[in-house]
Amino acid sequence: MTLSNDPSVVLEREQLALKPPPLYKVLLLNDDFTPMDFVVQVLQKFFSMSLEKATDVMLQVHHEGRGVCGMFPRDIALTKVEQVSGFARQHQHPLQCVMEEA
């Protein structure tokens, strides 16, 4: 590549079109055995929700069968799913946490 010494030549930087990474919804699924207060605890612990917001999401899970915990890039969503699933197993609850592309 040769650069010109001619002052009338203007070099422009090529702009790369970078797209943000795709986001994934992290969801909790309803079951008939996990206590509601445990679900609220999970939402506060792993998704940094206030008590009020965690209660709203827990009620959405209870009434609609699923509730959105947040939207994250793939790696973070996967980590959240693994953390919540492990925590639920550790406490002997069948709570299911899944992710799906938004």
Side-chain angles (χ1 to χ4, degrees), residues 9-71:
V9 174
V10 177
L11 298 177
E12 292 185 22
R13 175 175 275 167
E14 182 179 336
Q15 295 293 323
L16 297 176
L18 296 177
K19 296 188 295 187
L23 294 178
Y24 290 78
K25 288 188 230 179
V26 175
L27 305 146
L28 290 181
L29 305 181
N30 190 41
D31 64 70
D32 293 332
F33 304 101
T34 304
M36 291 179 177
D37 61 331
F38 182 79
V39 175
V40 170
Q41 179 186 2
V42 164
L43 292 165
Q44 289 181 297
K45 179 177 180 71
F46 295 102
F47 300 97
S48 302
M49 292 185 187
S50 67
L51 177 60
E52 183 177 351
K53 175 68 175 166
T55 302
D56 288 344
V57 173
M58 176 274 295
L59 288 172
Q60 181 184 25
V61 171
H62 182 68
H63 293 294
E64 298 175 23
R66 56 194 268 162
V68 177
C69 304
M71 304 266 286

Side-chain angles (χ1 to χ4, degrees), residues 78-99:
L78 186 58
T79 299
K80 297 279 188 191
V81 168
E82 290 172 353
Q83 289 175 329
V84 170
S85 298
F87 188 71
R89 276 192 311 271
Q90 180 182 9
H91 290 85
Q92 301 178 348
H93 295 299
L95 181 65
Q96 291 185 51
C97 185
V98 298
M99 62 188 250

